[in-house]
């Protein structure tokens, strides 16, 4: 049992690391695209702020630990968690390779749900908790789109008579701050998913008796996320930062503020969200407010498709991995 728990800790940190480089684009794509920051400086900033954000909150981690299934009652719990991690890591690597901005959150939540169903049956799933998590995952991109649209509409009115060159220069400076805020918000939500998984494994293994996250777990996950961020997911940065629309500094500021607000709001109410889809939807909202024809709706369509399919595919993968592991 102890060996399995060690494996879960290792793979949870691997998932966190992959999540870091997979989702680096969320925080820095717009600032790199507008040249507010060089890629190197943007990644360093994102890594530091991700680390700080990950050490600040644990509410989302507690939701992951007990929101989908009761870790104190879960049959074959360690197999469930290990199978879910394998499934989520596999899906993350596939989407990273093809440069698709998919959701690590959808992947791990779908994978846990699928693994729980295979190992312990439908009755083991907390459908109330699962549905509240699902609502957060599905509604947050819509909220980000609407907020991004409205925020940029307000900015257009406020700066309608401003000198374009001077305005761009000022917003480029502001974007350094908004990139930092975006990275911090990212850390407060995304790193907590691995914290929740490890805490869940500790409970199932009888090594922990509450859903509170041990500090060593929090520190380990924060470090893994920051290291992953420092590697950088350039394939996805290219998609988010340039293929959705041509981003100017003012667009970038509006998108960053929107994404950070929605992600941080979710963190405060202990809901995991897809930071990938939130920031991408924020860019789409800002782009639509700026000029609808300037948005590459083909890329947007691809993103929506992955948004829809990630949860069921990861659930199937989680179930398959769990079934295979149960054979040994």
């Amino acid at each position: 049992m102890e060996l399995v728990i060690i494996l879960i800790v290792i793979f949870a940190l691997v998932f966190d690391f992959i999540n870091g480089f997979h989702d680096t684009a969320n925080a820095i794509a717009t600032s790199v695209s507008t040249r507010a920051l060089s890629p190197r400086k943007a990644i360093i900033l994102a890594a530091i702020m991700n680390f700080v954000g990950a050490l600040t909150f644990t509410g989302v981690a507690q939701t992951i630990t007990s929101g989908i299934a009761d870790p104190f009652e879960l049959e074959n719990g360690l197999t469930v968690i290990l199978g879910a991690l394998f499934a989520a890591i596999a899906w993350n690597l596939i989407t990273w390779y093809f440069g698709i901005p998919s959701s690590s959150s959808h992947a791990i939540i779908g994978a846990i749900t699928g693994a729980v169903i295979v190992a312990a049956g439908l009755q083991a799933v907390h459908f109330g908790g699962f549905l509240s998590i699902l609502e957060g995952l599905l509604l947050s991109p819509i909220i980000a789109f609407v907020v991004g649209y409205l925020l940029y509409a307000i900015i257009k009115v406020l700066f309608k008579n401003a000198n374009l060159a001077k305005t761009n220069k000022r917003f480029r400076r502001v974007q350094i701050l908004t990139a930092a805020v975006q990275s911090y918000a990212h850390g407060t939500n995304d790193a907590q998913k691995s914290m929740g998984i490890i805490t869940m494994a500790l409970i199932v293994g009888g090594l922990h008796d509450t859903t509170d996250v041990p500090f060593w777990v929090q520190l380990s996950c924060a470090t893994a996320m920051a290291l992953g961020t420092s590697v950088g997911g350039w394939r996805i940065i290219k998609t988010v930062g340039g293929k959705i629309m041509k981003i100017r500094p003012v667009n970038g500021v509006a998108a960053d503020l929107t994404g950070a607000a929605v992600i941080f709001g979710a963190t405060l109410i202990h809901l995991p969200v897809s930071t990938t889809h939130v920031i991408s939807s924020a860019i789409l909202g800002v782009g639509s407010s700026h000029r609808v024809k300037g948005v590459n709706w083909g890329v947007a369509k691809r993103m929506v498709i992955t948004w829809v399919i990630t949860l069921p595919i990861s659930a199937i993968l989680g179930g398959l991995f769990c079934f295979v592991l149960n054979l040994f």
Side-chain angles (χ1 to χ4, degrees), residues 131-296:
L131 288 175
S132 67
I133 292 170
L134 188 61
E135 284 175 6
L137 290 173
L138 296 179
L139 290 176
S140 54
I142 298 170
I143 294 170
F145 181 92
V146 173
V147 172
Y149 187 97
L150 294 175
L151 179 59
Y152 189 73
I154 293 168
I155 289 174
K156 281 196 300 184
V157 172
L158 293 176
F159 292 91
K160 65 180 179 180
N161 297 320
N163 180 285
L164 184 60
K166 289 183 178 179
T167 301
N168 273 338
K169 188 175 181 180
R170 288 169 186 161
F171 272 104
R172 194 172 279 117
R173 290 171 183 164
V174 173
Q175 207 178 357
I176 297 172
L177 176 61
T178 59
V181 172
Q182 177 79 265
S183 301
Y184 173 78
H186 176 269
T188 67
N189 201 284
D190 259 21
Q192 290 194 54
K193 289 140 195 175
S194 291
M195 295 180 203
I197 291 166
I198 294 175
T199 304
M200 190 178 185
L202 295 175
I203 292 170
V204 170
L207 301 178
H208 196 59
D209 56 7
T210 73
T211 57
D212 294 335
V213 180
F215 180 71
W216 71 265
V217 173
Q218 195 176 6
L219 182 62
S220 300
C221 291
T223 303
M225 173 71 76
L227 289 174
T229 300
S230 68
V231 172
W234 296 113
R235 292 172 186 265
I236 295 172
I237 286 173
K238 189 176 180 182
T239 299
V240 175
K243 289 186 178 179
I244 296 175
M245 62 172 284
K246 184 178 180 180
I247 299 175
R248 296 181 176 85
V250 63
N251 307 135
V253 167
D256 286 350
L257 288 175
T258 298
V262 174
I263 293 166
F264 194 65
T267 299
L268 290 178
I269 58 174
H270 301 174
L271 281 180
V273 296
S274 167
T275 52
T276 302
H277 289 138
V278 167
I279 187 59
S280 298
S281 297
I283 293 172
L284 286 169
V286 169
S288 299
S289 184
H290 178 70
R291 190 167 67 91
V292 173
K293 290 184 179 179
V295 176
N296 186 338

Side-chain angles (χ1 to χ4, degrees), residues 113-129:
T113 306
V116 167
I117 291 170
V118 167
L122 272 171
Q123 71 278 2
V125 178
H126 286 173
F127 281 100

Side-chain angles (χ1 to χ4, degrees), residues 18-28 50 92 102-105 186 190 193 225 229 233 236 275-276:
I18 293 171
N19 195 0
F21 78 70
H22 189 275
D23 289 355
T24 301
N26 301 333
I28 65 172
N50 261 323
N92 267 0
S102 71
S103 168
S104 299
S105 303
H186 176 269
D190 259 21
K193 289 140 195 175
M225 173 71 76
T229 300
I236 295 172
T275 52
T276 302

